Amino acid sequence: MSLSYEEAVAQVTGPGSRYEITEAEVMGHRLPVFAHTPPSMRALFAAARERGDDVFLVYEDERWTFTDVMAEVDALGYALVHHFGVVKGDRVGIALRNYPEWIVAFAAITSIGAVAVTYNAWWTEEEFDYGLRDSGTTVLIADQERVARVAPLLADDGVQVLAVRTPGPTPAGVVHWEDVVERGHALPEVDIDLDDDATILYTSGTTGHPKGAVSTHRAVMSALMAFGCAAAVNTTRKGPAPEHPYPTSFILVVPLFHVTGCVPVMLSCFAGGTKLVMMYKWNPDRALELIERERVTNFVGVPTMSWDLLESPDFASRDTSSLVQVGGGGAPAPPELVRRIDSSFSKGRPNIGYGMTETNAYGPGNSGDDYMRKPTSTGRAIPLMQVRVVGEDGRELGVDAVGEIEFRGPNLIRGYWNKPGANAEVFHDGWLRSGDLGYLDDEGFVYVSDRVKDMVLRGGENVYCAEVEAILYEMPEVYEAAVYGIPHARLGEEVVASIVCRDDMKLDAEMVKEHVAIHLASFKVPTIVVFHDEQLPRGATGKILKRQLRDELVASIST
């Protein structure tokens, strides 16, 4: 007999359970916490040793067992302490593409009490210069491309560099991984507290300088356990299910420097002892090949990647029957995509999560039947995280009232590195201002309308871009769509839609406007429709770069 959501939560989080929730003082606030949170990330990684020769990482033709990974973690931890002089609290940077060494580096850094600074691999020399100085990074672990990019900075920034997969001579101040990372050394001992700093993840920096989001060991571990707890709640609700023919495994399709790749994907595999299949770069045809070859069960990406899988010419010929979860987060998923995922995969069910760098990726989640029932909702959060919607006066709003979404819980970052002004702006009384507009329904499901700053204010009316995009995606001709606003002398802003049509299919602006007008109020209809011949620009995480589209259009109009 199936249980209600509330019954399942009570059972999974009750006294004596693995995910028992109690209360504790965290950063000056009384918060719900998991009673059995591991004492540090070091303890999480140490448990992986018990997995022995089970395959952990698959990268191109390489297969790394848990024993391989942990032997390398021990060796790197030893080298960081004894060769580079790293001590507890030092910031050690990672500037790598998705290599196995990225995972080794992250585990080693946090296991010796240092702080892992995960740099965006797409950053320019100027951005690296800012990040290195801002964080006070002492050692940077970088691959060949990033070594070349930071080389001009080394003399001024005083950073030591450990080069990964960088054959041949290196600039002064750079040493090869192979020369100092020697297996056989023990991981240095260190005392780590749950509330010690563990990571700094830089935000995308779409406005001004990037902000370094600082998480403690407790914050990361709380988020990781929250993902496991949410999965346990869903399983408990459904009751016993037939055993899946393939063991749980993930495919890594997003960058590890992004919180999604780092916490719910990579660290979940560490925690669960599951295989992680790593891609050199995103390619839907290659992803389908790996899903079939490695019998991958979980696909976590951004909605554009799910679209790419479904649109691949190889989709029909590839065996994707091993997949049980297809989805991710990072942006709202159009309802049409949710429906297509559910109908196109034999066993794979759609899911979405609403998390941020500041929440260590955990937040309300929606999946399976709930998602089909409420395809525009990002779901509910387990009681570890508190969610509310507030008005402009800061007061909590009632059901269905649109306001700013706020979060509170032990999984939140402790703040931004060296940014007291940003901390004061974003955090208050333990609550995090998400910067997102949305509402809660009578079942506690969260609906995200749009980013506060991305909302188009047209003639005093609010236009939520995600709502318009969902309607556009219902047109069979539309492959990609992005809605945003540009300045307008009379209205303040006007609504723009950038569209990529499917191959051999055509639209014109009037057809688009007429379609939207059928479904939405007239002030939500785009007044400008721009057609693009190529895929819309995306950032490192796969999100469409609306700001770039906006700036390019404004520039073209003004010339």
Side-chain angles (χ1 to χ4, degrees), residues 58-76:
V58 176
Y59 175 74
E60 297 299 314
D61 295 326
E62 302 173 20
R63 302 182 88 82
W64 294 51
T65 66
F66 283 93
T67 296
D68 292 330
V69 171
M70 293 313 299
E72 207 77 357
V73 168
D74 293 346
L76 176 57

Side-chain angles (χ1 to χ4, degrees), residues 92-275:
V92 179
I94 305 174
L96 302 169
R97 69 179 314 126
N98 282 4
Y99 288 131
E101 289 86 351
W102 198 108
I103 296 171
V104 169
F106 185 89
I109 294 165
T110 54
S111 290
I112 61 171
V115 181
V117 185
T118 64
Y119 289 107
N120 187 318
W122 288 24
W123 270 10
T124 63
E125 177 186 325
E126 182 179 332
E127 289 169 314
F128 271 114
D129 187 34
Y130 169 78
L132 293 170
R133 292 175 184 270
D134 179 63
S135 66
T137 291
T138 58
V139 180
L140 182 69
I141 302 171
D143 57 26
Q144 187 169 16
E145 185 177 349
R146 261 52 64 176
V147 166
R149 211 172 297 167
V150 302
L153 310 173
L154 300 183
D156 291 337
D157 290 348
V159 179
Q160 303 176 83
V161 177
L162 179 60
V164 174
R165 303 192 184 222
T166 305
T170 56
V174 178
V175 297
H176 286 101
W177 179 285
E178 296 80 5
D179 293 338
V180 295
V181 180
E182 300 176 1
R183 292 192 187 184
H185 291 294
L187 187 68
E189 294 294 329
V190 62
D191 291 326
I192 302 174
D193 186 82
L194 259 178
D195 292 318
D196 285 340
D197 289 347
T199 63
I200 299 178
L201 277 66
Y202 276 92
T203 58
S204 57
T206 52
T207 58
H209 285 302
K211 301 190 294 288
V214 187
S215 287
T216 63
H217 286 262
R218 184 196 299 273
V220 178
M221 293 305 304
S222 294
L224 181 60
M225 290 189 69
F227 282 109
C229 179
V233 168
N234 285 335
T235 301
T236 302
R237 286 177 69 191
K238 292 183 246 180
E243 185 175 349
H244 193 271
Y246 305 110
T248 301
S249 59
F250 284 74
I251 184 168
L252 181 67
V253 298
V254 292
L256 283 163
F257 61 74
H258 183 257
V259 70
T260 301
C262 184
V263 180
V265 179
M266 185 267 285
L267 288 181
S268 287
C269 289
F270 252 119
T274 55
K275 182 173 68 177

Side-chain angles (χ1 to χ4, degrees), residues 297-315:
T297 63
N298 291 65
F299 180 92
V300 179
V302 294
T304 49
M305 291 175 170
S306 296
W307 273 120
D308 289 346
L309 284 184
L310 294 168
E311 291 296 320
S312 167
D314 293 346
F315 181 77

Side-chain angles (χ1 to χ4, degrees), residues 502-519:
R502 299 185 189 279
D503 291 342
D504 302 320
M505 300 185 82
K506 297 294 183 183
L507 282 173
D508 61 38
E510 288 307 310
M511 293 167 65
V512 172
K513 294 177 184 179
E514 288 173 4
H515 174 77
V516 177
I518 292 172
H519 301 278

